[in-house]
CSV table of all heavy atoms in Angstrom, one decimal:
chain,number,residue,atom,x,y,z
T,982,MET,N,0.8,-1.2,0.0
T,982,MET,CA,0.0,0.1,0.0
T,982,MET,C,0.9,1.2,0.0
T,982,MET,O,1.9,1.3,0.7
T,982,MET,CB,-0.9,0.0,1.2
T,982,MET,CG,-1.8,1.2,1.3
T,982,MET,SD,-3.1,0.8,2.5
T,982,MET,CE,-4.2,2.0,2.2
T,985,PRO,N,0.7,7.5,2.6
T,985,PRO,CA,-0.3,8.5,2.4
T,985,PRO,C,0.3,9.9,2.2
T,985,PRO,O,-0.4,10.8,2.0
T,985,PRO,CB,-1.0,8.4,3.7
T,985,PRO,CG,0.0,7.9,4.7
T,985,PRO,CD,0.8,7.0,3.9
T,993,LYS,N,3.6,20.2,1.3
T,993,LYS,CA,3.0,20.4,2.6
T,993,LYS,C,1.5,19.9,2.6
T,993,LYS,O,0.7,20.3,3.4
T,993,LYS,CB,3.0,21.9,3.0
T,993,LYS,CG,4.3,22.6,3.0
T,993,LYS,CD,5.2,22.0,4.2
T,993,LYS,CE,6.5,22.9,4.3
T,993,LYS,NZ,7.7,22.2,4.3
T,994,SER,N,1.1,19.1,1.7
T,994,SER,CA,-0.3,18.6,1.7
T,994,SER,C,-0.6,17.9,3.0
T,994,SER,O,0.2,17.3,3.7
T,994,SER,CB,-0.5,17.7,0.5
T,994,SER,OG,0.2,16.5,0.6
T,995,ARG,N,-1.9,17.9,3.2
T,995,ARG,CA,-2.5,17.2,4.4
T,995,ARG,C,-3.6,16.2,4.0
T,995,ARG,O,-3.9,16.0,2.8
T,995,ARG,CB,-3.2,18.3,5.3
T,995,ARG,CG,-2.2,19.4,5.8
T,995,ARG,CD,-1.5,18.9,7.0
T,995,ARG,NE,-0.7,20.0,7.5
T,995,ARG,CZ,0.7,20.1,7.4
T,995,ARG,NH1,1.3,19.2,6.8
T,995,ARG,NH2,1.3,21.0,8.0
T,999,SER,N,-6.7,14.6,-2.5
T,999,SER,CA,-6.6,13.5,-3.4
T,999,SER,C,-5.1,13.3,-3.7
T,999,SER,O,-4.4,14.2,-4.0
T,999,SER,CB,-7.5,13.6,-4.6
T,999,SER,OG,-8.8,13.7,-4.2
T,1002,ARG,N,-1.4,7.8,-8.1
T,1002,ARG,CA,-0.3,6.8,-8.4
T,1002,ARG,C,0.4,7.3,-9.6
T,1002,ARG,O,-0.2,7.9,-10.5
T,1002,ARG,CB,-0.8,5.4,-8.6
T,1002,ARG,CG,-1.3,4.7,-7.3
T,1002,ARG,CD,-1.6,3.2,-7.7
T,1002,ARG,NE,-2.1,2.6,-6.6
T,1002,ARG,CZ,-1.5,1.7,-5.8
T,1002,ARG,NH1,-0.2,1.5,-5.9
T,1002,ARG,NH2,-2.2,1.2,-4.8
T,1009,PRO,N,7.8,6.9,-20.5
T,1009,PRO,CA,8.2,8.4,-20.6
T,1009,PRO,C,7.5,9.3,-19.7
T,1009,PRO,O,8.2,10.2,-19.1
T,1009,PRO,CB,7.9,8.7,-22.1
T,1009,PRO,CG,7.8,7.4,-22.8
T,1009,PRO,CD,7.2,6.4,-21.8
T,1012,GLU,N,8.7,8.8,-16.1
T,1012,GLU,CA,10.0,9.3,-15.9
T,1012,GLU,C,9.9,10.9,-15.6
T,1012,GLU,O,10.6,11.5,-14.7
T,1012,GLU,CB,10.9,9.0,-17.0
T,1012,GLU,CG,11.3,7.6,-17.0
T,1012,GLU,CD,12.1,7.1,-18.2
T,1012,GLU,OE1,12.3,8.0,-19.1
T,1012,GLU,OE2,12.6,6.0,-18.2
T,1026,MET,N,15.0,3.6,-7.4
T,1026,MET,CA,14.0,2.6,-7.3
T,1026,MET,C,13.5,2.2,-8.7
T,1026,MET,O,13.6,3.0,-9.7
T,1026,MET,CB,12.8,3.1,-6.5
T,1026,MET,CG,13.2,3.5,-5.1
T,1026,MET,SD,11.8,4.2,-4.2
T,1026,MET,CE,10.9,2.7,-3.8
T,1035,TYR,N,4.5,5.0,-3.7
T,1035,TYR,CA,4.4,6.5,-3.5
T,1035,TYR,C,3.3,7.0,-4.4
T,1035,TYR,O,2.9,6.5,-5.4
T,1035,TYR,CB,5.8,7.1,-4.0
T,1035,TYR,CG,6.9,6.6,-3.0
T,1035,TYR,CD1,7.8,5.7,-3.4
T,1035,TYR,CD2,6.9,7.2,-1.8
T,1035,TYR,CE1,8.8,5.3,-2.6
T,1035,TYR,CE2,8.0,6.9,-1.0
T,1035,TYR,CZ,8.9,5.9,-1.4
T,1035,TYR,OH,9.8,5.5,-0.5
T,1036,LEU,N,2.9,8.3,-3.9
T,1036,LEU,CA,1.7,8.9,-4.5
T,1036,LEU,C,2.1,10.4,-4.7
T,1036,LEU,O,3.0,10.9,-4.0
T,1036,LEU,CB,0.5,8.9,-3.7
T,1036,LEU,CG,0.0,7.4,-3.4
T,1036,LEU,CD1,-1.1,7.6,-2.2
T,1036,LEU,CD2,-0.6,6.9,-4.5
T,1038,CYS,N,0.3,14.2,-4.8
T,1038,CYS,CA,-1.1,14.8,-4.4
T,1038,CYS,C,-1.6,15.8,-5.4
T,1038,CYS,O,-0.8,16.3,-6.4
T,1038,CYS,CB,-1.0,15.5,-3.0
T,1038,CYS,SG,-0.2,17.1,-3.0
T,1050,GLY,N,-15.6,16.4,-14.0
T,1050,GLY,CA,-16.5,15.8,-13.0
T,1050,GLY,C,-16.0,14.8,-12.1
T,1050,GLY,O,-16.8,14.1,-11.4
T,1058,ALA,N,-1.8,13.5,-18.0
T,1058,ALA,CA,-1.5,14.4,-16.9
T,1058,ALA,C,-0.1,14.3,-16.4
T,1058,ALA,O,0.4,13.2,-16.2
T,1058,ALA,CB,-2.5,14.2,-15.7
T,1061,THR,N,2.6,19.8,-12.6
T,1061,THR,CA,3.2,21.2,-13.1
T,1061,THR,C,3.2,22.2,-12.0
T,1061,THR,O,3.8,23.3,-12.3
T,1061,THR,CB,2.5,21.6,-14.3
T,1061,THR,OG1,1.1,21.8,-14.0
T,1061,THR,CG2,2.6,20.7,-15.5
Side-chain angles (χ1 to χ4, degrees):
M982 181 166 194
K993 304 286 190 234
S994 67
R995 300 282 186 250
S999 294
R1002 287 187 188 258
E1012 290 171 351
M1026 301 176 77
Y1035 296 102
L1036 302 169
C1038 78
T1061 57

